[in-house]
Amino acid sequence: MQVIKQLKVKFVYSMIFIEMFVFATILLTLNVTITRRESNETKEFLVFLANNNGHSPRPRLFNDKMIPRQKQNELLMDIDATSSASRERPEDFLHTITDVFRIERTSQANLRNYFSVKVNSDNSIMELIQDFPLNYTNDEINHLVKEIRKSGKKHGSLSGVSFYIRDLRGNQQLICMVNRNSELKTLSKLYTYSTLLYLFSIIVSVLISIPISNYMIRPAEDAFIKQKQFIADASHELKTPIAVIGANIDVLESEIKGNKWLDYIKTENKRMGELVRDLLYLAKNDAGRNELTFCDFDFSNAVENSVLPFEVVAFEAGKTLEFDIEKGLTCNGDEKSLKQIFIILVDNALKNSEEGAHITVRAYAEGQKIIYKVRNTGAGIPKEELEKIFLRFYRSDSSRVRKTGGCGLGLAIARAIATDHDGTLIAESELGEWAEFTLAIPKKR
């Protein structure tokens, strides 16, 4: 069932990643577009101010009737000749002519808090150009001018104020400025709301992805469960005929002495029995039906009891087997299954090493973990196969299949047992030199 869990996790992660990417793209595009548009509009307005000697474009006056150009000029001259009071409150003056004229503003930029200054090369202000009262003091304006001139830029932003510089005659410059604090606050709120929306979308994605993944994976999960159940049932059913064949072979051996054909049948029947046993273990493990008994036991003693019988096997094969087992190691786990790992790794080292090989078994504590290592000299394992050897039925060297026996399930079983104990089993090797397997399990679960 571990495969199904991993598949669900990957499916959820994939959906969340896709949704995060889509939302991020949409919100980022929206924010960048709005920011650039506002910045471009500000720059266009500043350029217009600079080209219009620091003044905003004059409002267009018109009525439903055609007004001669001369009359229009006279009206504009009247507006220019109004008192300063009328200039400060132009709506009072315009109100008097609303029965004849309407005002049309071509851009909302006219509503910005803007002003312009003409400066000399020594930063002294020659003229302050404004179309309405400002919220800046003279000291603040002088400070802005100095900072803008100091930056050396023709266009940019400083302290919430966007500026544009136009060169005039006589080393003079016209600096047009727009207060963008309100726009920046609006953009800041936009970014904040976008971030909150993005975080909310992630939460929603997680909540939606989990049930969807369960729904999408359910057919595969059902098929997987049926497959594992079939393997378990088939393996269980095969145990009986294999046992019967073995019993019949024993009877025939008592009647027919030294028959090589019976020896072949007995060897293959034994191999088939081991294969069925291993398949049954893996099938039960996949289905979560392996019953493990976790308790404290003497890890050092378990290693010695499992490995010592291999001394005779190693001696007969012309190999050296050495032990370096720390005394008094205790572990919380299933002693029977862990002994199976000890046996699998030593047996694997003996089978996959040449005559004269040196095999070392070590067990020691490292922090809160217990380490069990089996190292053998010999041909080693190619780096690209260090993970593949833990796959079921995988054999690094197919020529050894008949020579050493086995069916390539031992390491798969060993890793499954290590995973059941919240541990790890890894392989390391130097091709042509050595190979080493390391089991690391916690002392306490």
Side-chain angles (χ1 to χ4, degrees):
M1 299 304 294
Q2 187 68 21
V3 177
I4 296 297
K5 291 181 180 178
Q6 293 176 354
L7 187 60
K8 287 182 178 180
V9 170
K10 289 182 178 179
F11 188 86
V12 171
Y13 283 165
S14 298
M15 288 190 63
I16 293 174
F17 175 78
I18 293 173
E19 292 175 5
M20 286 174 60
F21 178 77
V22 172
F23 273 105
T25 302
I26 294 174
L27 293 176
L28 186 61
T29 302
L30 180 63
N31 288 331
V32 170
T33 301
I34 294 175
T35 302
R36 286 186 176 180
R37 180 178 177 181
E38 199 282 331
S39 180
N40 290 335
E41 287 182 353
T42 300
K43 184 176 180 180
E44 291 174 1
F45 180 68
L46 286 170
V47 172
F48 195 96
L49 283 177
N51 294 331
N52 202 41
N53 295 322
H55 289 285
S56 171
R58 195 186 302 272
R60 284 198 298 152
L61 303 178
F62 65 94
N63 59 8
D64 297 332
K65 301 183 294 182
M66 181 65 67
I67 300 177
R69 170 62 69 179
Q70 183 179 359
K71 182 62 175 178
Q72 292 183 21
N73 291 335
E74 292 176 359
L75 291 171
L76 293 177
M77 290 176 63
D78 290 340
I79 293 176
D80 290 335
T82 53
S83 64
S84 59
S86 296
R87 229 174 241 287
E88 292 180 2
R89 295 184 56 82
E91 64 275 11
D92 294 341
F93 172 76
L94 295 175
H95 180 71
T96 62
I97 57 173
T98 52
D99 57 335
V100 179
F101 301 102
R102 296 199 305 270
I103 300 176
E104 180 184 22
R105 294 189 181 273
T106 57
S107 172
Q108 292 297 323
N110 294 325
L111 301 177
R112 295 175 180 267
N113 186 10
Y114 62 90
F115 62 95
S116 305
V117 291
K118 288 182 181 179
V119 296
N120 281 324
S121 57
D122 59 355
N123 292 337
S124 60
I125 298 177
M126 298 177 59
E127 182 182 359
L128 175 62
I129 304 170
Q130 61 188 79
D131 292 333
F132 47 81
L134 300 177
N135 295 326
Y136 292 95
T137 64
N138 291 333
D139 292 338
E140 290 174 338
I141 294 175
N142 286 325
H143 177 72
L144 280 173
V145 170
K146 290 179 180 179
E147 292 297 323
I148 290 172
R149 294 287 296 273
K150 185 178 179 180
S151 68
K153 298 179 180 179
K154 291 288 185 181
H155 171 67
S157 295
L158 183 67
S159 301
V161 175
S162 291
F163 63 88
Y164 180 83
I165 300 177
R166 175 190 172 192
D167 293 326
L168 302 176
R169 295 178 182 178
N171 293 328
Q172 296 180 355
Q173 289 183 326
L174 176 64
I175 304 178
C176 302
M177 290 173 270
V178 173
N179 188 330
R180 295 186 62 209
N181 285 317
S182 60
E183 290 86 348
L184 294 176
K185 288 180 180 179
T186 302
L187 291 175
S188 178
K189 290 182 180 179
L190 175 64
Y191 301 151
T192 302
Y193 294 152
S194 297
T195 302
L196 294 176
L197 179 61
Y198 184 65
L199 296 176
F200 177 75
S201 68
I202 294 176
I203 297 174
V204 173
S205 298
V206 173
L207 297 177
I208 293 177
S209 298
I210 294 176
I212 291 179
S213 66
N214 292 331
Y215 175 78
M216 297 292 291
I217 302 299
R218 189 171 299 144
E221 183 178 6
D222 293 341
F224 185 82
I225 292 174
K226 291 178 181 178
Q227 179 187 11
K228 297 303 176 184
Q229 185 64 43
F230 169 77
I231 294 174
D233 294 341
S235 300
H236 183 75
E237 293 299 326
L238 285 172
K239 290 172 64 178
T240 301
I242 290 173
V244 172
I245 292 173
N248 290 333
I249 291 173
D250 292 337
V251 173
L252 289 174
E253 279 185 329
S254 63
E255 297 181 0
I256 307 174
K257 303 292 184 179
N259 189 295
K260 66 177 182 179
W261 307 111
L262 284 177
D263 291 340
Y264 293 156
I265 295 173
K266 185 176 182 179
T267 300
E268 293 302 318
N269 188 69
K270 181 181 178 181
R271 183 168 177 269
M272 180 65 72
E274 293 174 351
L275 173 61
V276 169
R277 181 197 63 199
D278 292 344
L279 282 174
L280 184 60
Y281 179 89
L282 290 173
K284 287 183 176 180
N285 185 77
D286 291 337
R289 290 160 53 189
N290 277 334
E291 296 181 1
L292 302 178
T293 303
F294 288 88
C295 61
D296 293 334
F297 68 95
D298 191 326
F299 189 90
S300 303
N301 187 55
V303 173
E304 290 180 355
N305 293 337
S306 302
V307 177
L308 281 176
F310 284 96
E311 279 189 314
V312 177
V313 179
F315 177 79
E316 292 179 351
K319 303 173 185 179
T320 304
L321 181 61
E322 290 187 357
F323 307 98
D324 182 13
I325 302 171
E326 183 180 328
K327 298 296 183 179
L329 296 176
T330 58
C331 174
N332 182 268
D334 184 75
E335 183 176 1
K336 180 180 178 181
S337 60
L338 286 175
K339 282 184 176 181
Q340 191 174 356
I341 293 186
F342 306 153
I343 293 172
I344 288 173
L345 294 184
V346 176
D347 182 62
N348 181 74
L350 288 169
K351 288 180 177 179
N352 293 280
S353 57
E354 306 298 335
E355 186 176 354
H358 186 76
I359 301 166
T360 304
V361 178
R362 296 179 60 203
Y364 58 92
E366 188 176 88
Q368 296 301 315
K369 293 184 177 181
I370 295 180
I371 308 298
Y372 174 77
K373 287 180 179 286
V374 178
R375 182 188 182 98
N376 67 274
T377 59
I381 306 169
K383 289 185 178 180
E384 62 273 11
E385 295 186 356
L386 288 176
E387 279 299 316
K388 293 180 181 179
I389 58 176
F390 292 101
L391 299 176
R392 299 173 187 183
F393 298 106
Y394 184 83
R395 300 298 295 265
S396 178
D397 186 356
S398 59
S399 64
R400 293 181 177 269
V401 174
R402 292 297 175 186
K403 181 180 178 181
T404 62
C407 50
L409 290 176
L411 292 178
I413 292 174
R415 175 163 278 188
I417 295 173
T419 302
D420 290 339
H421 285 77
D422 300 328
T424 59
L425 178 60
I426 61 173
E428 298 174 287
S429 178
E430 184 69 35
L431 192 61
E433 298 292 334
W434 53 268
E436 183 178 74
F437 289 83
T438 302
L439 169 70
I441 58 174
K443 294 179 180 179
K444 298 291 183 180
R445 296 185 75 250

